[in-house]
Amino acid sequence: ILAANASLALSAALEANYLIGDRNTNSYSASDGIGGNLSFDYFLTGVDYFKSFITGQGEIPQNQSQIISGNFGGLNFDSGYLTSYSVNFSPNSALSARVSIVFFDDLQGEFAPREEQAFTAEVLNASRINMVSEFETDQVDNFIAGSYNYQAAIAPVYLIEETKPSSISFGKKTTSMNFEID
Protein backbone atom coordinates (compact mmCIF):
# COMPACT_ATOMS: atom_id res chain seq x y z
CA ILE A 1 0.00 0.00 0.00
CA LEU A 2 1.41 3.37 -1.01
CA ALA A 3 0.69 5.28 2.20
CA ALA A 4 1.19 8.86 3.32
CA ASN A 5 0.66 10.73 6.59
CA ALA A 6 0.93 7.58 8.68
CA SER A 7 0.69 7.63 12.47
CA LEU A 8 1.13 4.80 14.94
CA ALA A 9 0.20 4.98 18.63
CA LEU A 10 0.39 2.39 21.40
CA SER A 11 -1.00 2.88 24.89
CA ALA A 12 -1.65 1.06 28.13
CA ALA A 13 -4.33 1.94 30.68
CA LEU A 14 -2.92 2.29 34.19
CA GLU A 15 -4.72 3.28 37.39
CA ALA A 16 -3.23 4.25 40.73
CA ASN A 17 -3.72 1.88 43.69
CA TYR A 18 -4.52 3.74 46.92
CA LEU A 19 -4.62 2.26 50.39
CA ILE A 20 -7.01 3.63 53.00
CA GLY A 21 -5.48 6.69 54.65
CA ASP A 22 -2.88 7.29 51.91
CA ARG A 23 -2.96 10.52 49.93
CA ASN A 24 -0.43 9.39 47.35
CA THR A 25 0.86 6.16 45.91
CA ASN A 26 3.67 4.70 43.85
CA SER A 27 1.68 1.59 42.97
CA TYR A 28 -0.18 1.22 39.66
CA SER A 29 -2.03 -1.62 38.01
CA ALA A 30 -3.39 -2.20 34.52
CA SER A 31 -7.07 -1.39 34.12
CA ASP A 32 -7.35 -2.61 30.53
CA GLY A 33 -5.29 -4.36 27.89
CA ILE A 34 -2.78 -2.80 25.54
CA GLY A 35 -4.29 -0.90 22.66
CA GLY A 36 -2.93 0.72 19.57
CA ASN A 37 -4.02 2.70 16.55
CA LEU A 38 -2.61 2.91 13.04
CA SER A 39 -3.94 5.64 10.74
CA PHE A 40 -2.80 6.58 7.25
CA ASP A 41 -3.83 7.94 3.88
CA TYR A 42 -3.26 5.93 0.71
CA PHE A 43 -3.91 6.34 -2.99
CA LEU A 44 -6.62 4.27 -4.65
CA THR A 45 -5.34 2.26 -7.61
CA GLY A 46 -8.44 0.21 -8.44
CA VAL A 47 -8.06 -2.61 -5.93
CA ASP A 48 -8.98 -1.44 -2.43
CA TYR A 49 -7.91 -3.91 0.26
CA PHE A 50 -9.83 -2.20 3.11
CA LYS A 51 -13.17 -1.90 1.30
CA SER A 52 -13.97 -5.57 2.00
CA PHE A 53 -13.88 -4.94 5.77
CA ILE A 54 -16.79 -2.50 5.56
CA THR A 55 -19.32 -5.22 4.74
CA GLY A 56 -17.43 -8.24 6.11
CA GLN A 57 -16.20 -7.19 9.53
CA GLY A 58 -18.42 -8.24 12.42
CA GLU A 59 -20.96 -9.97 10.21
CA ILE A 60 -22.22 -13.48 10.90
CA PRO A 61 -20.50 -15.89 10.65
CA GLN A 62 -17.55 -14.21 12.30
CA ASN A 63 -14.29 -15.71 11.13
CA GLN A 64 -10.57 -15.03 11.11
CA SER A 65 -10.65 -13.26 7.74
CA GLN A 66 -11.99 -10.16 9.49
CA ILE A 67 -8.76 -9.63 11.43
CA ILE A 68 -6.16 -7.28 9.96
CA SER A 69 -2.48 -7.92 10.48
CA GLY A 70 0.12 -5.37 9.56
CA ASN A 71 3.76 -4.41 9.44
CA PHE A 72 4.78 -0.79 9.90
CA GLY A 73 8.53 -0.27 9.53
CA GLY A 74 9.32 -3.66 11.11
CA LEU A 75 6.72 -3.35 13.90
CA ASN A 76 4.05 -6.07 13.58
CA PHE A 77 0.56 -6.55 14.97
CA ASP A 78 -1.93 -9.35 14.31
CA SER A 79 -5.22 -8.31 15.92
CA GLY A 80 -6.35 -5.24 13.98
CA TYR A 81 -9.86 -4.07 13.12
CA LEU A 82 -11.03 -1.30 10.80
CA THR A 83 -12.70 1.52 12.75
CA SER A 84 -12.91 4.22 10.09
CA TYR A 85 -12.60 4.56 6.34
CA SER A 86 -13.16 7.69 4.30
CA VAL A 87 -12.72 8.76 0.69
CA ASN A 88 -12.96 12.39 -0.42
CA PHE A 89 -12.91 13.18 -4.12
CA SER A 90 -13.16 16.05 -6.52
CA PRO A 91 -12.90 16.28 -10.32
CA ASN A 92 -9.53 15.67 -11.93
CA SER A 93 -7.66 14.89 -8.74
CA ALA A 94 -6.13 11.69 -7.45
CA LEU A 95 -8.41 9.60 -5.23
CA SER A 96 -7.10 8.80 -1.79
CA ALA A 97 -8.61 7.07 1.22
CA ARG A 98 -7.96 7.44 4.95
CA VAL A 99 -8.20 4.44 7.26
CA SER A 100 -7.87 3.93 10.98
CA ILE A 101 -7.16 0.50 12.44
CA VAL A 102 -7.22 -0.39 16.13
CA PHE A 103 -5.30 -3.36 17.44
CA PHE A 104 -5.24 -5.04 20.82
CA ASP A 105 -1.83 -6.59 21.21
CA ASP A 106 1.72 -5.47 21.84
CA LEU A 107 3.80 -4.55 18.81
CA GLN A 108 6.36 -7.20 17.92
CA GLY A 109 9.66 -6.56 16.17
CA GLU A 110 11.96 -3.60 15.98
CA PHE A 111 11.46 -0.34 14.14
CA ALA A 112 13.73 -0.34 11.09
CA PRO A 113 12.73 2.22 8.46
CA ARG A 114 13.34 1.23 4.85
CA GLU A 115 13.62 3.42 1.84
CA GLU A 116 12.50 1.94 -1.41
CA GLN A 117 11.15 3.28 -4.63
CA ALA A 118 7.38 3.52 -4.82
CA PHE A 119 5.71 1.05 -7.14
CA THR A 120 4.34 2.27 -10.42
CA ALA A 121 0.58 2.07 -10.58
CA GLU A 122 -2.08 4.29 -11.98
CA VAL A 123 -3.87 6.23 -9.30
CA LEU A 124 -7.60 6.64 -9.88
CA ASN A 125 -8.73 10.07 -11.04
CA ALA A 126 -12.32 11.21 -10.50
CA SER A 127 -13.73 12.61 -13.73
CA ARG A 128 -17.18 11.02 -13.64
CA ILE A 129 -19.07 8.82 -11.21
CA ASN A 130 -21.48 5.95 -11.79
CA MET A 131 -24.37 5.77 -9.36
CA VAL A 132 -25.68 2.21 -9.20
CA SER A 133 -29.06 1.42 -7.69
CA GLU A 134 -31.10 -1.76 -7.66
CA PHE A 135 -32.87 -0.79 -10.88
CA GLU A 136 -30.54 1.39 -12.95
CA THR A 137 -27.12 2.98 -13.34
CA ASP A 138 -26.75 6.74 -13.76
CA GLN A 139 -23.60 8.62 -14.69
CA VAL A 140 -22.86 11.90 -12.89
CA ASP A 141 -20.27 13.98 -14.74
CA ASN A 142 -21.00 17.44 -13.34
CA PHE A 143 -20.00 16.89 -9.73
CA ILE A 144 -17.96 19.35 -7.67
CA ALA A 145 -17.00 17.15 -4.72
CA GLY A 146 -18.00 14.03 -2.88
CA SER A 147 -17.19 11.93 0.15
CA TYR A 148 -17.85 8.50 1.59
CA ASN A 149 -17.39 7.80 5.32
CA TYR A 150 -17.58 4.63 7.41
CA GLN A 151 -17.28 4.34 11.21
CA ALA A 152 -17.46 1.24 13.39
CA ALA A 153 -17.54 0.89 17.17
CA ILE A 154 -15.25 -1.94 18.27
CA ALA A 155 -14.54 -3.00 21.85
CA PRO A 156 -12.28 -5.80 23.11
CA VAL A 157 -13.60 -8.43 25.55
CA TYR A 158 -10.96 -9.62 28.03
CA LEU A 159 -11.05 -12.60 30.35
CA ILE A 160 -9.19 -12.44 33.67
CA GLU A 161 -5.38 -12.26 33.22
CA GLU A 162 -5.59 -11.92 29.43
CA THR A 163 -3.40 -9.39 27.68
CA LYS A 164 -4.95 -10.07 24.28
CA PRO A 165 -8.77 -10.08 24.05
CA SER A 166 -10.56 -13.41 23.75
CA SER A 167 -13.20 -11.84 21.53
CA ILE A 168 -14.24 -8.55 19.98
CA SER A 169 -17.59 -6.85 20.39
CA PHE A 170 -18.79 -5.09 17.25
CA GLY A 171 -21.08 -2.17 17.92
CA LYS A 172 -22.84 0.38 15.77
CA LYS A 173 -21.66 0.88 12.17
CA THR A 174 -22.46 4.07 10.31
CA THR A 175 -21.92 5.04 6.69
CA SER A 176 -22.60 8.28 4.90
CA MET A 177 -22.17 9.54 1.38
CA ASN A 178 -22.27 13.11 0.16
CA PHE A 179 -22.28 14.55 -3.38
CA GLU A 180 -22.11 18.15 -4.44
CA ILE A 181 -23.14 18.66 -8.06
CA ASP A 182 -23.28 21.63 -10.38
Side-chain angles (χ1 to χ4, degrees), residues 1-14:
I1 296 173
L2 183 57
N5 302 321
S7 68
L8 179 67
L10 187 65
S11 62
L14 298 176

Side-chain angles (χ1 to χ4, degrees), residues 58-146:
E59 303 295 329
I60 296 176
Q62 293 183 2
N63 58 28
Q64 293 295 96
S65 67
Q66 300 163 353
I67 299 172
I68 300 170
S69 62
N71 180 331
F72 181 78
L75 298 172
N76 303 303
F77 62 89
D78 63 359
S79 66
Y81 298 89
L82 183 68
T83 57
S84 71
Y85 173 92
S86 64
V87 178
N88 295 315
F89 46 91
S90 59
N92 300 315
S93 63
L95 289 177
S96 67
R98 178 151 187 84
V99 296
S100 184
I101 301 165
V102 295
F103 54 92
F104 304 106
D105 58 342
D106 196 7
L107 289 171
Q108 304 296 317
E110 227 174 274
F111 183 67
R114 282 188 346 200
E115 288 186 25
E116 57 186 68
Q117 188 165 345
F119 62 89
T120 55
E122 274 198 46
V123 176
L124 295 179
N125 182 343
S127 60
R128 64 181 181 276
I129 297 171
N130 289 332
M131 300 292 291
V132 179
S133 70
E134 187 177 344
F135 304 106
E136 62 182 287
T137 300
D138 292 323
Q139 190 175 84
V140 179
D141 57 3
N142 59 346
F143 73 97
I144 296 170

Side-chain angles (χ1 to χ4, degrees), residues 10-17 28-36 103-106 154-168:
L10 187 65
S11 62
L14 298 176
E15 288 188 12
N17 295 329
Y28 293 86
S29 62
S31 61
D32 208 350
I34 295 173
F103 54 92
F104 304 106
D105 58 342
D106 196 7
I154 296 174
V157 177
Y158 293 97
L159 296 178
I160 294 175
E161 296 192 19
E162 278 187 336
T163 58
K164 196 170 176 181
S166 56
S167 65
I168 299 297

